[in-house]
Amino acid sequence: MNSLIATRLRCPVCRATCEVSEDGKSLYCGGQRRHCFDFSRSGYLNLAGPHGGEGDLKASVRARSLFLESGYYERLADTVCEVLASCSVNTVLDAGCGEGYYTNRMALGRAALGVDLSSAGIDHAAKAAKREGLNAGYAVASLFKLPVADASFDAITNLFAPCAEAEFVRVLRPGGVLIVVAAGEHHLLGLKKAIYDTPYTNRGRADLPQELALEREIRLTYEITVEGRERIDALFSMTPYYWRTSEADRQKLAQLDRLTTEVDFNVYVYRKGLIE
Ligand SMILES: C[S@@+](CC[C@H](N)C(=O)[O-])C[C@H]1O[C@@H](n2cnc3c(N)ncnc32)[C@H](O)[C@@H]1O
Ligand SMILES: [Zn+2]
């Protein structure tokens, strides 16, 4: 793990600062008890504490990476990376990073730490980072209790995952940025039209930050054509409707080999004040 990231970690048990062992296999805390956390074979840390480690199942991680790695959301990844570059961000924490599709792209220009409760997602992310020699570290942990120091990151990103504003404020350095991405009103309307007789539009996210100052809002909309049943099903499984659609409606989608739909993203950029 890159030292820019390792020096920012805090022991999830006693909150002491941490260091990587000489052989690079473990992370030790500097507290009295010298808590030790071994890196997995793929290179991530489990810092979730005794009650952590749930989140997405392997099958949904596989589906999401199949869809994302086909490039349909690449323009969103580019937009987030452009915002990070325009804010001169050197260290970014991706809170709720899933299987690391966006995190590993962010790591091309800076040091990144991806945090998620899903060990299957984190394992996938860490493997890809290792394979590609990227400057990205990964930890299984809750984004509501991040295992990192106060004021330690230039930026936090939070894409389609729960938003923990108070914790993000703690972790951002003064003047740091928080980028929250949410589905826009018309996101995947074409998918919904293929399934439902009366598709409804999305409502905004209920958990957007309230205290941080909103500096910029970017709306990104474009059309994608998803080819093949496997990819269409993967996209469907990433949506909340997957769990509440009847078998008859599912069958409508199963007939399709190609699906054209709008995608609609809201990218919100918040900034922490320089003075607390
Ligand atoms: C819809 S996925 C988005 C993943 C990724 N950001 C992306 O856009 O591909 C939501 C992610 O939030 C994670 N998550 C949910 N609650 C969490 C929590 N309390 N702490 C950390 N991760 C959490 C899930 O495990 C899942 O990977
Ligand atoms: Zn400790």
Side-chain angles (χ1 to χ4, degrees), residues 88-152:
S88 305
V89 166
N90 291 318
T91 51
V92 59
L93 187 156
D94 190 15
C97 65
E99 75 303 314
Y101 172 75
Y102 300 99
T103 330
N104 282 336
R105 272 155 192 77
M106 294 175 205
L108 290 170
R110 57 201 59 82
L113 172 67
V115 172
D116 201 289
L117 270 183
S118 162
S119 46
I122 288 288
D123 185 54
H124 181 99
K127 277 187 183 137
K130 195 173 179 180
R131 202 170 47 236
E132 291 162 38
L134 297 170
N135 200 359
Y138 285 95
V140 176
S142 171
L143 56 80
F144 289 96
K145 206 172 167 220
L146 293 166
V148 299
D150 295 356
S152 54

Side-chain angles (χ1 to χ4, degrees), residues 60 71 102 112 192 240 265:
S60 61
Y102 300 99
K192 289 193 249 179
F265 305 109

